[in-house]
Amino acid sequence: MPTLFATSDLHVTHEGNAEVVDTIRPDGPEDWLLVAGDVGEQVPAIMKTLKLLRDRFAKVIWVPGNHELWTTDRDPVQLRGQARYDELVRRCRELDVLTPEDEFAVWEHGGEPLTIAPMFLLYDYSWRTPAAQGRPLSVAMDQAREAGVICTDEYFLHPDPYPTRQEWCAQRLKVTEKRLLEIPEDRKTILMSHWPLHRHPTEPLYWPEFAMWCGTTETEDWHLRFRAEIAVYGHLHIPRSTKADGVRFEEVSLGYPREWRKRARGAVPLHRLL
């Protein structure tokens, strides 16, 4: 039977990760791979990696992370915001890599078919610490600044043409929810995003202030509303399996070399889902 694998946060431009990524291989010719964002920051490296993976797996499904959406000086592609995302989608289609803008694929190799729903959602700063809850965003930002954990997105992830990341997030939530509602009500799903849908995976964060850049309260019940068998995500660099309301949440990130080198099991670039 084919296997469904997942990975995320490969960060291929970080020294040591490219060699690990090259070890990602299927067990058989019909295996699929979910890539939950943060392949890298520069378009050429992102596409080179996705092509490598697509050449090896029968199907590859990708969602963007925050790093893919960064516009940095070293990237020959200087598009920002929505235009950058659109260009990534266009290039993925050239590689036959599925994206959140394509028809949902169905995994049929199990007890029942599962619709795989890749989602690009962003975040809206609604996951606050208790001290910042219900207060202006500037208060939460000051708190994060004092803790020294301002996310690099504030400098490189541009929301163009939307005025703010919150408004871009709201648009993505609206578009995505509409598509999820079109899935037959008797069909279970695998919900795949870069940012976790539920806040509980952020509990181990060393700096709780960083949760602001990790998701939105608007998706807290999506794993139930949309009948998730598994919710797959990355972003936190805390690879583990947890449950919320009986639903499996799987963080499938590799992370930075300085992180995985400290772990007893070392680098784990590939996670078996089904």
Side-chain angles (χ1 to χ4, degrees), residues 18 23 29 52 64 71 79 85 125 138 161 189 194 258:
T23 68
L52 171 76
T71 304
L79 295 170
Y85 173 59
Y125 304 96
S138 59
T189 63
H194 179 65
R258 68 174 183 270

Side-chain angles (χ1 to χ4, degrees), residues 122-135:
L122 281 167
Y123 50 85
D124 59 7
Y125 304 96
S126 56
W127 288 354
R128 309 276 187 89
T129 64
Q133 201 66 46
R135 305 186 69 184

Side-chain angles (χ1 to χ4, degrees), residues 31-172:
D31 293 349
W32 291 16
L33 179 65
L34 310 185
V35 183
D38 277 9
V39 173
E41 298 83 23
Q42 299 173 32
V43 171
I46 296 165
M47 292 303 135
K48 180 181 178 181
T49 303
L50 289 175
K51 183 180 186 305
L52 171 76
L53 298 174
R54 179 63 187 89
D55 288 345
R56 294 176 178 179
F57 288 82
K59 193 178 292 293
V60 172
I61 304 174
W62 165 87
V63 297
N66 53 314
H67 283 241
E68 277 101 343
L69 300 172
W70 287 1
T71 304
T72 62
D73 292 342
R74 294 184 178 183
D75 194 337
V77 178
Q78 287 294 295
L79 295 170
R80 293 161 53 127
Q82 181 70 44
R84 182 175 181 84
Y85 173 59
D86 291 342
E87 176 65 10
L88 290 167
V89 168
R90 185 189 70 80
R91 294 191 185 211
C92 280
R93 286 172 171 168
E94 289 182 346
L95 299 178
D96 190 30
V97 170
L98 295 180
T99 77
E101 308 310 310
D102 297 310
E103 182 179 351
F104 293 156
V106 178
W107 180 257
E108 297 182 337
H109 308 285
E112 60 181 318
L114 299 170
T115 296
I116 300 176
M119 302 176 294
F120 166 37
L121 299 174
L122 281 167
Y123 50 85
D124 59 7
Y125 304 96
S126 56
W127 288 354
R128 309 276 187 89
T129 64
Q133 201 66 46
R135 305 186 69 184
L137 178 59
S138 59
V139 172
M141 283 291 182
D142 286 345
Q143 187 184 68
R145 196 170 288 111
E146 289 173 9
V149 292
I150 291 291
C151 183
T152 310
D153 292 2
E154 297 298 316
Y155 308 101
F156 295 133
L157 201 166
H158 307 285
D160 311 23
Y162 302 94
T164 64
R165 297 177 194 87
Q166 299 97 304
E167 289 174 78
W168 194 8
C169 175
Q171 188 269 346
R172 290 306 312 178

